[in-house]
Amino acid sequence: MAEDSEDDLAGASQAFLEHLEKTGFFNQIKDLEGNLQSIAGALKALSEGTIERVQESENLVAHVLAIETILTVMLRANPINSEAVGSLIKETTNTSPGNGEGNPKVLAIAEGILSDASG
């Protein structure tokens, strides 16, 4: 009797596998696997690109900090008129007519460098 039960179970399992094959389930799984591999490849390329951009950003920051340090030392040896610097920044970064205030970020950075040079 147990043998009949095992045969029924084996037959049902075989029938289920055949049904899955006929409906294309296994092909869908293969397609899904291919799509997941494609996504994994794209994510790897994205992460490598992101790492490169971070390294480029770090290099840019290092260059800016080095230039600011050299400029601070130069300004300590040869002070300049901070009002003239502010006026020129306002003139060159004025983005809308009649504004006359210039770019506040550029002004703040310049003030910081001039402050470091005088201190």
Side-chain angles (χ1 to χ4, degrees):
M1 237 200 205
E3 193 172 304
D4 289 341
S5 174
E6 288 178 15
D7 287 342
D8 290 344
L9 184 58
S13 296
Q14 184 62 34
F16 182 67
L17 289 174
E18 288 172 4
H19 175 72
L20 290 175
E21 182 68 40
K22 286 179 188 176
T23 60
F25 176 77
F26 295 119
N27 288 335
Q28 290 175 354
I29 294 297
K30 287 179 186 176
D31 291 345
L32 179 61
E33 179 184 18
N35 290 337
L36 290 173
Q37 288 175 349
S38 176
I39 290 169
L43 288 173
K44 181 179 178 184
L46 178 63
S47 69
E48 289 171 354
T50 300
I51 289 169
E52 289 175 7
R53 297 302 82 74
V54 167
Q55 290 171 342
E56 290 169 359
S57 295
E58 288 174 348
N59 287 340
L60 179 61
V61 168
H63 279 85
V64 169
L65 290 175
I67 291 168
E68 282 185 12
T69 302
I70 292 167
L71 181 57
T72 299
V73 171
M74 292 171 62
L75 290 172
R76 284 181 181 166
N78 301 297
I80 60 172
N81 183 332
S82 61
E83 290 178 13
V85 171
S87 293
L88 185 56
I89 289 172
K90 288 176 183 178
E91 179 184 320
T92 58
T93 64
N94 186 14
T95 56
S96 61
N99 179 1
E101 294 301 315
N103 186 307
K105 288 183 183 181
V106 176
L107 285 166
I109 292 169
E111 288 172 3
I113 292 170
L114 291 170
S115 175
D116 290 345
S118 66

